[in-house]
Amino acid sequence: MDTPRDLPRLVRLCLQMADVIDRYQAAMKPREADKARQARRLIKKLQKKIDNETL
């Protein structure tokens, strides 16, 4: 799963997940709604990894 080809796909998936969580955040428990923040943190880490691999 940790191939350079899979990382951009994982970033897109996390972005979509964060958008869905933001959209339905009012219906969720606070702990569940916090998943969007965690997903965005993961996206930043993955972007750094992608950037480091392309250098």
Side-chain angles (χ1 to χ4, degrees):
M1 173 72 189
D2 198 20
T3 64
R5 193 186 74 180
D6 291 334
L7 289 176
R9 191 171 18 179
L10 186 58
V11 169
R12 284 193 308 273
L13 180 64
C14 286
L15 280 172
Q16 291 172 350
M17 181 183 72
D19 290 342
V20 168
I21 291 171
D22 285 340
R23 190 175 311 140
Y24 296 103
Q25 187 170 341
M28 296 178 160
K29 296 177 183 175
R31 185 176 63 229
E32 294 168 340
D34 190 49
K35 298 295 184 205
R37 183 185 59 80
Q38 293 172 5
R40 288 195 174 88
R41 188 182 305 159
L42 176 63
I43 291 167
K44 286 182 183 180
K45 286 181 183 179
L46 291 172
Q47 268 314 125
K48 285 183 183 179
K49 188 169 185 172
I50 290 170
D51 293 343
N52 288 338
E53 287 180 357
T54 58
L55 292 178

